Amino acid sequence: MTYDVVIGVEVHAQLRTKSKMFCGCGTTFGLSANSQTCPVCLGLPGSLPVINRAAVEMAVRAGLALNCTIGAHNRFARKNYFYPDLPKGYQISQYESPICEHGWIEVAVGNGTKRIRIRRAHLEEDAGKNVHETGTSGSRVDLNRAGTPLLEIVTEPDMSSAEEVVAYLKGLRDVLMYLDVCDGNMDEGSFRCEPNLSLRPAGQQAFGTKVELKNINSFKFVKDAVEYEIKRQTKVLNEGGKITQETRLWNIERGETAVMRSKEEAHDYRYFPDPDLVPLQLEQAWIDGFRAGLPELPAVRKKRLEREYGLSEYVSNVLASDKNVLDYFESAASEAGRVGLTKIEVGKELANCITVDFQGQLNKLTYAPNLTQATTPGTGPVPGPFWVDPANLMELVARKIKGEISGPIYKVVLEKMVGTGKTASEIIEAEGLKQVSDEGAIEKIIDEVLAKSPAQVAQFKEGKQQVVGFLVGQVMKASGGKANPGKVNELLKKKLGA
Ligand code: ADP
Ligand code: MG
Ligand code: ZN
């Protein structure tokens, strides 16, 4: 039997507000347990919540960027359940009237794009964390995260493969990061995703029973978990079994999903409007102001890069997958005029330098910072000197483009820049790495190489053209990479009488 795969995704994005959703406590990650709490987020009797304006603004901006209708009248509801990390015994969320509804996002799949519909995006508060430490008795509760603002974004069941789910999540995460409403950190849980997955016999209209997947904190695990679950459900159905509606956790070590709990129905939560909070009325002019102020979004920015810098779609995708890296690229490229080049002239080399060579140098460092860290001052595993000023990087790339330094020297200089904060000129000057274009000097090296390579010269005379490449390589090596490769080629051919 063949089945169609049906997937809808729920994302909890932590909003980057300074304070929590309904109180003035801070939202910093990783502080000592329960140090960011107050009577409101501890759920003490008599305390009253107040809506965080910044969180509402962020939700509106995200909703507009996702082509949603913004609910002019929306209200908060209590979602009732008991768990130790939820001191009030209910979570303040939105139910009947979410702040954003009926949107869509276009994402890159295969060679084209696919439109994924957004069913709703609503504001809610996060719960705290239960901490289970080995070597201590019992479990503890840390309420620092309790009350942190979340935007829960729910799609229609429009996806049908792991590839589409990953593309959707990357596209959504990009949008939220471009808007600066979420830091997108999957590791720290600021961008959590829960795919819902079901199968139905090919051609059948009605959906099958779905399973919700949790504990997925990287794109790699999204792919693995979805692919595993498709296989598992196919097997169950083929063996005549039934899928149980449940929540399953992705187990990283075992590479499989396992039952966490059976899934509640919405009515189990006894949702009702929160009487402590007034309904939220948003003025149209206020909403329109945010619409007008939206930044250039990833998809649009990608198209512009391809036009302005002559980049391929592949390269623009690589750059645009991280806003910090892309900002860095554009900041470096803005220096093109100063070094006498146009955007089109620098585009490809600069992009290649950042995504391939720069990353290659970072990989050599023991603390292995990634490109985001290397292109954002003040971030990273250690407060490092790996950050390279974009203007300096542009200067280096410009020298390579103009042929002032050879490929090997360019790499050496880049390596020294990443470690030290020095400019390319400083390093080239100090290390005597200037390119040698002087014909006399190059001829001298060629003569030496030819004298040492009688066999290759003989081969060339017999008509073997390929040995020229070998000889050029030998000359470049003998010059310490400093000889101008164009000149070497020209002079070598002259000497060989080619
Ligand atoms: P729940 O109340 O269990 O959270 P919802 O109806 O709110 O379920 O849907 C949650 C997510 O699951 C949505 O993204 C939705 O598109 C998706 N979904 C709903 N039904 C199915 C199904 N049968 N198969 C796959 N995904 C589904
Ligand atoms: Mg749900
Ligand atoms: Zn508080």
Side-chain angles (χ1 to χ4, degrees):
M1 178 75 102
T2 54
Y3 300 97
D4 287 338
V5 177
V6 176
I7 310 172
V9 176
E10 293 163 272
V11 162
H12 287 88
Q14 187 177 319
L15 297 174
R16 293 188 71 176
T17 54
K18 288 202 189 69
S19 55
K20 291 186 180 179
M21 187 66 230
F22 301 109
C23 64
C25 293
T27 54
T28 313
F29 180 84
L31 296 190
S32 68
N34 297 306
S35 60
Q36 296 190 108
T37 53
C38 74
V40 175
C41 55
L42 290 173
L44 299 188
S47 62
L48 285 172
V50 178
I51 301 169
N52 182 338
R53 182 188 179 105
V56 176
E57 290 181 7
M58 288 181 185
V60 168
R61 292 175 62 237
L64 290 170
L66 296 171
N67 306 293
C68 289
T69 308
I70 306 300
H73 308 279
N74 59 93
R75 63 196 305 176
F76 290 90
R78 293 186 179 180
K79 179 178 181 179
N80 299 280
Y81 66 92
F82 172 76
Y83 208 59
D85 64 10
L86 188 75
K88 293 194 297 293
Y90 61 85
Q91 175 193 29
I92 307 180
S93 181
Q94 296 190 308
Y95 187 56
E96 277 157 345
S97 42
I99 189 156
C100 315
E101 273 184 302
H102 313 309
W104 51 266
I105 177 173
E106 214 132 73
V107 301
V109 285
N111 294 325
T113 56
K114 177 165 180 174
R115 185 175 283 207
I116 310 290
R117 291 169 298 159
I118 308 284
R119 180 181 288 176
R120 55 186 279 147
H122 66 251
L123 276 165
E124 61 184 29
E125 58 176 341
D126 208 346
K129 269 183 198 162
N130 293 333
V131 186
H132 319 284
E133 277 168 357
T134 46
T136 57
S137 65
S139 292
R140 290 144 203 257
V141 182
D142 176 5
L143 293 173
N144 278 350
R145 201 181 65 180
T148 299
L150 299 177
L151 188 64
E152 179 175 336
I153 304 155
V154 184
T155 73
E156 294 295 342
D158 285 350
M159 285 152 275
S160 55
S161 67
E163 186 210 353
E164 287 184 6
V165 176
V166 171
Y168 164 71
L169 289 169
K170 285 190 172 164
L172 175 66
R173 181 167 168 272
D174 280 353
V175 168
L176 299 179
M177 288 173 72
Y178 271 59
L179 295 172
D180 227 358
V181 304
C182 175
D183 69 21
N185 191 328
M186 294 174 84
D187 235 19
E188 290 179 3
S190 1
F191 184 86
R192 308 195 281 267
C193 59
E194 289 151 27
N196 293 260
L197 195 154
S198 68
L199 300 184
R200 58 179 169 185
Q204 179 183 301
Q205 274 296 306
F207 289 144
T209 304
K210 73 174 162 44
V211 159
E212 182 187 61
L213 303 177
K214 279 183 189 275
N215 194 39
I216 300 175
N217 62 0
S218 77
F219 291 127
K220 162 103 177 40
F221 295 152
V222 171
K223 181 170 178 288
D224 293 348
V226 167
E227 282 174 354
Y228 175 88
E229 188 59 22
I230 292 172
K231 283 204 194 102
R232 187 191 70 84
Q233 292 191 17
T234 304
K235 186 156 181 283
V236 170
L237 294 175
N238 278 343
E239 287 169 357
K242 276 208 161 73
I243 301 298
T244 324
Q245 172 151 327
E246 62 197 4
T247 299
R248 298 178 71 91
L249 293 186
W250 175 242
N251 184 314
I252 300 164
E253 282 83 36
R254 304 175 64 107
E256 59 188 39
T257 62
V259 189
M260 176 198 186
R261 59 168 187 242
S262 67
K263 178 87 183 135
E264 309 79 358
E265 301 283 342
H267 60 249
D268 293 331
Y269 289 120
R270 301 288 189 272
Y271 280 101
F272 66 87
D274 192 314
D276 286 344
L277 289 160
V278 290
L280 197 55
Q281 310 262 4
L282 306 179
E283 279 171 29
Q284 196 54 46
W286 190 75
I287 297 170
D288 291 342
F290 287 115
R291 194 191 303 277
L294 285 181
E296 186 182 28
L297 292 168
V300 178
R301 197 168 175 192
K302 253 182 260 183
K303 286 280 155 266
R304 179 175 62 74
L305 286 175
E306 289 161 27
R307 233 179 21 246
E308 252 175 50
Y309 297 95
L311 301 180
S312 68
E313 196 179 334
Y314 172 77
V315 172
S316 77
N317 270 335
V318 173
L319 280 176
S321 65
D322 188 326
K323 178 169 179 288
N324 291 318
V325 174
L326 184 46
D327 285 345
Y328 182 83
F329 168 84
E330 290 221 79
S331 153
S334 70
E335 301 287 323
R338 218 172 45 82
V339 293
L341 294 169
T342 64
K343 285 182 176 177
I344 286 278
E345 284 171 322
V346 301
K348 275 190 201 130
E349 285 283 353
L350 184 61
N352 194 58
C353 171
I354 294 173
T355 57
V356 181
D357 303 329
F358 196 179
Q359 181 62 65
Q361 295 301 339
L362 296 171
N363 293 345
K364 290 190 194 168
L365 302 173
T366 47
Y367 42 89
N370 58 36
L371 266 183
T372 313
Q373 294 161 335
T375 52
T376 317
T379 56
V382 292
F386 46 78
W387 196 70
V388 174
D389 183 85
N392 290 349
L393 196 78
M394 186 66 255
E395 187 215 326
L396 171 70
V397 172
R399 281 169 181 273
K400 184 179 173 212
I401 294 172
K402 292 178 184 167
E404 291 169 16
I405 51 171
S406 66
I409 296 286
Y410 150 83
K411 286 215 169 124
V412 172
V413 177
L414 179 61
E415 179 170 12
K416 294 188 189 263
M417 286 173 76
V418 173
T420 58
K422 287 195 185 130
T423 68
S425 328
E426 280 167 358
I427 293 164
I428 290 168
E429 201 58 44
E431 313 265 333
L433 295 173
K434 267 224 169 66
Q435 172 147 302
V436 178
S437 295
D438 175 61
E439 297 200 356
I442 295 177
E443 276 186 54
K444 197 166 154 262
I445 303 174
I446 291 179
D447 289 339
E448 284 165 19
V449 167
L450 291 182
K452 271 191 247 162
S453 324
Q456 281 80 8
V457 174
Q459 283 176 3
F460 179 79
K461 296 250 155 83
E462 286 158 21
K464 245 188 145 185
Q465 293 285 327
Q466 306 93 292
V467 293
V468 175
F470 168 80
L471 293 168
V472 169
Q474 293 301 304
V475 175
M476 289 306 296
K477 203 168 144 198
S479 75
K482 286 189 283 185
N484 178 327
K487 275 255 152 39
V488 171
N489 237 306
E490 185 191 317
L491 295 172
L492 188 69
K493 285 191 176 152
K494 219 191 254 170
K495 288 242 171 214
L496 289 168

Short mmCIF file of all heavy atoms in Angstrom, two decimals, residues 154-188:
data_model
loop_
_atom_site.label_atom_id
_atom_site.label_comp_id
_atom_site.label_asym_id
_atom_site.label_seq_id
_atom_site.Cartn_x
_atom_site.Cartn_y
_atom_site.Cartn_z
N VAL A 154 1.26 28.17 13.88
CA VAL A 154 0.72 26.87 13.47
C VAL A 154 0.39 26.88 11.99
O VAL A 154 -0.32 27.76 11.51
CB VAL A 154 -0.57 26.55 14.28
CG1 VAL A 154 -1.09 25.16 13.94
CG2 VAL A 154 -0.32 26.70 15.77
N THR A 155 0.88 25.89 11.26
CA THR A 155 0.58 25.84 9.82
C THR A 155 -0.65 24.97 9.56
O THR A 155 -1.09 24.21 10.42
CB THR A 155 1.72 25.19 9.00
OG1 THR A 155 1.72 23.77 9.25
CG2 THR A 155 3.07 25.78 9.34
N GLU A 156 -1.17 25.06 8.36
CA GLU A 156 -2.13 24.07 7.87
C GLU A 156 -1.31 22.82 7.54
O GLU A 156 -0.08 22.91 7.36
CB GLU A 156 -2.84 24.59 6.61
CG GLU A 156 -3.73 25.81 6.83
CD GLU A 156 -4.94 25.50 7.73
OE1 GLU A 156 -5.28 24.31 7.91
OE2 GLU A 156 -5.52 26.46 8.27
N PRO A 157 -1.96 21.65 7.43
CA PRO A 157 -1.19 20.43 7.13
C PRO A 157 -0.77 20.39 5.67
O PRO A 157 -1.22 19.55 4.91
CB PRO A 157 -2.15 19.30 7.48
CG PRO A 157 -3.51 19.91 7.47
CD PRO A 157 -3.38 21.38 7.71
N ASP A 158 0.11 21.29 5.26
CA ASP A 158 0.45 21.50 3.85
C ASP A 158 1.76 20.84 3.42
O ASP A 158 2.13 20.93 2.27
CB ASP A 158 0.56 23.01 3.56
CG ASP A 158 -0.81 23.67 3.49
OD1 ASP A 158 -1.81 22.94 3.46
OD2 ASP A 158 -0.86 24.92 3.45
N MET A 159 2.48 20.24 4.37
CA MET A 159 3.78 19.67 3.99
C MET A 159 3.67 18.16 3.82
O MET A 159 2.80 17.53 4.40
CB MET A 159 4.83 20.03 5.04
CG MET A 159 5.27 21.48 4.95
SD MET A 159 5.83 22.15 6.52
CE MET A 159 4.28 22.65 7.24
N SER A 160 4.57 17.60 3.01
CA SER A 160 4.47 16.17 2.77
C SER A 160 5.81 15.44 2.74
O SER A 160 5.88 14.30 2.30
CB SER A 160 3.71 15.91 1.47
OG SER A 160 4.33 16.60 0.43
N SER A 161 6.87 16.10 3.22
CA SER A 161 8.16 15.41 3.29
C SER A 161 9.05 16.11 4.30
O SER A 161 8.80 17.26 4.68
CB SER A 161 8.86 15.44 1.93
OG SER A 161 9.22 16.77 1.61
N ALA A 162 10.11 15.40 4.71
CA ALA A 162 11.07 16.00 5.64
C ALA A 162 11.70 17.23 5.01
O ALA A 162 11.90 18.25 5.67
CB ALA A 162 12.14 14.98 6.00
N GLU A 163 11.99 17.14 3.72
CA GLU A 163 12.61 18.27 3.02
C GLU A 163 11.73 19.52 3.12
O GLU A 163 12.22 20.61 3.39
CB GLU A 163 12.83 17.90 1.54
CG GLU A 163 13.61 18.95 0.77
CD GLU A 163 13.23 19.02 -0.70
OE1 GLU A 163 12.45 18.17 -1.18
OE2 GLU A 163 13.70 19.96 -1.37
N GLU A 164 10.42 19.34 2.94
CA GLU A 164 9.53 20.51 3.00
C GLU A 164 9.45 21.08 4.41
O GLU A 164 9.38 22.29 4.60
CB GLU A 164 8.13 20.13 2.50
CG GLU A 164 8.10 19.94 0.99
CD GLU A 164 6.71 19.65 0.45
OE1 GLU A 164 5.72 19.70 1.21
OE2 GLU A 164 6.62 19.37 -0.76
N VAL A 165 9.46 20.20 5.40
CA VAL A 165 9.39 20.68 6.78
C VAL A 165 10.64 21.50 7.11
O VAL A 165 10.56 22.59 7.68
CB VAL A 165 9.25 19.50 7.78
CG1 VAL A 165 9.29 20.00 9.22
CG2 VAL A 165 7.96 18.75 7.52
N VAL A 166 11.81 20.98 6.71
CA VAL A 166 13.06 21.70 6.98
C VAL A 166 13.06 23.04 6.24
O VAL A 166 13.42 24.08 6.80
CB VAL A 166 14.28 20.85 6.59
CG1 VAL A 166 15.56 21.67 6.66
CG2 VAL A 166 14.39 19.64 7.51
N ALA A 167 12.61 23.03 4.98
CA ALA A 167 12.57 24.27 4.21
C ALA A 167 11.64 25.29 4.87
O ALA A 167 11.96 26.48 4.97
CB ALA A 167 12.11 23.99 2.78
N TYR A 168 10.50 24.81 5.34
CA TYR A 168 9.56 25.72 6.02
C TYR A 168 10.20 26.31 7.28
O TYR A 168 10.17 27.52 7.50
CB TYR A 168 8.27 24.98 6.39
CG TYR A 168 7.44 25.72 7.41
CD1 TYR A 168 6.77 26.90 7.07
CD2 TYR A 168 7.37 25.28 8.74
CE1 TYR A 168 6.04 27.61 8.01
CE2 TYR A 168 6.64 25.98 9.69
CZ TYR A 168 5.98 27.15 9.33
OH TYR A 168 5.29 27.85 10.26
N LEU A 169 10.80 25.44 8.09
CA LEU A 169 11.37 25.91 9.36
C LEU A 169 12.51 26.89 9.12
O LEU A 169 12.62 27.90 9.82
CB LEU A 169 11.84 24.72 10.20
CG LEU A 169 10.71 23.87 10.77
CD1 LEU A 169 11.25 22.58 11.36
CD2 LEU A 169 9.94 24.66 11.84
N LYS A 170 13.34 26.61 8.12
CA LYS A 170 14.43 27.54 7.82
C LYS A 170 13.88 28.87 7.35
O LYS A 170 14.34 29.94 7.77
CB LYS A 170 15.35 26.95 6.74
CG LYS A 170 16.25 25.86 7.27
CD LYS A 170 17.31 25.46 6.25
CE LYS A 170 18.31 24.51 6.90
NZ LYS A 170 19.13 23.80 5.92
N GLY A 171 12.87 28.81 6.48
CA GLY A 171 12.28 30.04 5.95
C GLY A 171 11.64 30.86 7.05
O GLY A 171 11.82 32.08 7.13
N LEU A 172 10.91 30.18 7.93
CA LEU A 172 10.23 30.87 9.03
C LEU A 172 11.26 31.48 9.99
O LEU A 172 11.14 32.64 10.40
CB LEU A 172 9.33 29.89 9.79
CG LEU A 172 8.66 30.45 11.03
CD1 LEU A 172 7.66 31.55 10.66
CD2 LEU A 172 7.96 29.34 11.83
N ARG A 173 12.26 30.69 10.32
CA ARG A 173 13.29 31.16 11.26
C ARG A 173 14.00 32.39 10.69
O ARG A 173 14.24 33.37 11.39
CB ARG A 173 14.27 30.03 11.53
CG ARG A 173 15.38 30.36 12.50
CD ARG A 173 16.08 29.07 12.91
NE ARG A 173 17.32 29.32 13.61
CZ ARG A 173 18.50 29.47 13.00
NH1 ARG A 173 18.57 29.39 11.69
NH2 ARG A 173 19.58 29.69 13.71
N ASP A 174 14.31 32.34 9.39
CA ASP A 174 14.93 33.50 8.73
C ASP A 174 14.07 34.75 8.90
O ASP A 174 14.56 35.81 9.26
CB ASP A 174 15.07 33.24 7.22
CG ASP A 174 16.29 32.38 6.90
OD1 ASP A 174 17.08 32.11 7.81
OD2 ASP A 174 16.43 31.98 5.72
N VAL A 175 12.76 34.60 8.63
CA VAL A 175 11.88 35.77 8.72
C VAL A 175 11.90 36.34 10.13
O VAL A 175 12.06 37.54 10.34
CB VAL A 175 10.43 35.40 8.31
CG1 VAL A 175 9.45 36.50 8.69
CG2 VAL A 175 10.36 35.10 6.82
N LEU A 176 11.78 35.47 11.13
CA LEU A 176 11.73 35.95 12.52
C LEU A 176 13.05 36.60 12.92
O LEU A 176 13.07 37.60 13.64
CB LEU A 176 11.40 34.80 13.47
CG LEU A 176 10.04 34.11 13.23
CD1 LEU A 176 9.84 32.98 14.23
CD2 LEU A 176 8.88 35.11 13.31
N MET A 177 14.15 36.05 12.41
CA MET A 177 15.45 36.63 12.74
C MET A 177 15.67 37.95 12.01
O MET A 177 16.23 38.88 12.56
CB MET A 177 16.57 35.64 12.43
CG MET A 177 16.59 34.48 13.42
SD MET A 177 17.76 33.18 13.00
CE MET A 177 19.31 34.00 13.37
N TYR A 178 15.21 38.03 10.77
CA TYR A 178 15.35 39.29 10.02
C TYR A 178 14.55 40.40 10.70
O TYR A 178 14.93 41.55 10.68
CB TYR A 178 14.83 39.12 8.59
CG TYR A 178 15.88 38.64 7.62
CD1 TYR A 178 16.55 37.45 7.83
CD2 TYR A 178 16.22 39.39 6.50
CE1 TYR A 178 17.52 37.00 6.95
CE2 TYR A 178 17.20 38.95 5.61
CZ TYR A 178 17.83 37.75 5.84
OH TYR A 178 18.78 37.32 4.97
N LEU A 179 13.42 40.02 11.30
CA LEU A 179 12.58 41.01 11.98
C LEU A 179 13.13 41.33 13.36
O LEU A 179 12.63 42.22 14.04
CB LEU A 179 11.15 40.48 12.14
CG LEU A 179 10.35 40.25 10.86
CD1 LEU A 179 9.04 39.55 11.21
CD2 LEU A 179 10.08 41.58 10.17
N ASP A 180 14.13 40.54 13.80
CA ASP A 180 14.71 40.73 15.11
C ASP A 180 13.70 40.44 16.23
O ASP A 180 13.81 41.01 17.32
CB ASP A 180 15.22 42.17 15.26
CG ASP A 180 16.63 42.18 15.83
OD1 ASP A 180 17.14 41.09 16.13
OD2 ASP A 180 17.18 43.28 16.00
N VAL A 181 12.73 39.59 15.96
CA VAL A 181 11.75 39.28 17.01
C VAL A 181 12.10 37.98 17.73
O VAL A 181 11.54 37.66 18.78
CB VAL A 181 10.30 39.21 16.47
CG1 VAL A 181 9.91 40.50 15.78
CG2 VAL A 181 10.10 38.03 15.53
N CYS A 182 13.05 37.19 17.19
CA CYS A 182 13.43 35.92 17.81
C CYS A 182 14.89 35.68 17.47
O CYS A 182 15.32 35.98 16.36
CB CYS A 182 12.56 34.79 17.23
SG CYS A 182 13.01 33.13 17.80
N ASP A 183 15.66 35.15 18.44
CA ASP A 183 17.09 34.94 18.12
C ASP A 183 17.33 33.63 17.37
O ASP A 183 18.44 33.36 16.92
CB ASP A 183 17.97 35.07 19.37
CG ASP A 183 17.77 33.94 20.35
OD1 ASP A 183 17.28 32.86 19.95
OD2 ASP A 183 18.10 34.12 21.53
N GLY A 184 16.28 32.81 17.25
CA GLY A 184 16.38 31.62 16.40
C GLY A 184 17.25 30.51 16.96
O GLY A 184 17.52 29.53 16.27
N ASN A 185 17.68 30.64 18.21
CA ASN A 185 18.59 29.65 18.78
C ASN A 185 17.86 28.35 19.15
O ASN A 185 17.13 28.29 20.13
CB ASN A 185 19.25 30.26 20.03
CG ASN A 185 20.40 29.42 20.53
OD1 ASN A 185 20.37 28.20 20.40
ND2 ASN A 185 21.40 30.08 21.07
N MET A 186 18.06 27.32 18.34
CA MET A 186 17.33 26.06 18.55
C MET A 186 17.87 25.30 19.75
O MET A 186 17.16 24.58 20.43
CB MET A 186 17.39 25.21 17.30
CG MET A 186 16.65 25.86 16.13
SD MET A 186 16.85 24.96 14.58
CE MET A 186 15.57 23.71 14.75
N ASP A 187 19.17 25.47 19.98
CA ASP A 187 19.86 24.80 21.07
C ASP A 187 19.34 25.24 22.44
O ASP A 187 19.15 24.45 23.35
CB ASP A 187 21.33 25.19 20.99
CG ASP A 187 22.22 23.98 20.93
OD1 ASP A 187 21.68 22.91 20.60
OD2 ASP A 187 23.41 24.14 21.22
N GLU A 188 19.12 26.55 22.57
CA GLU A 188 18.65 27.09 23.85
C GLU A 188 17.13 27.08 23.91
O GLU A 188 16.54 27.59 24.85
CB GLU A 188 19.17 28.53 24.03
CG GLU A 188 20.67 28.58 24.26
CD GLU A 188 21.19 30.01 24.41
OE1 GLU A 188 20.39 30.96 24.39
OE2 GLU A 188 22.43 30.15 24.56
#
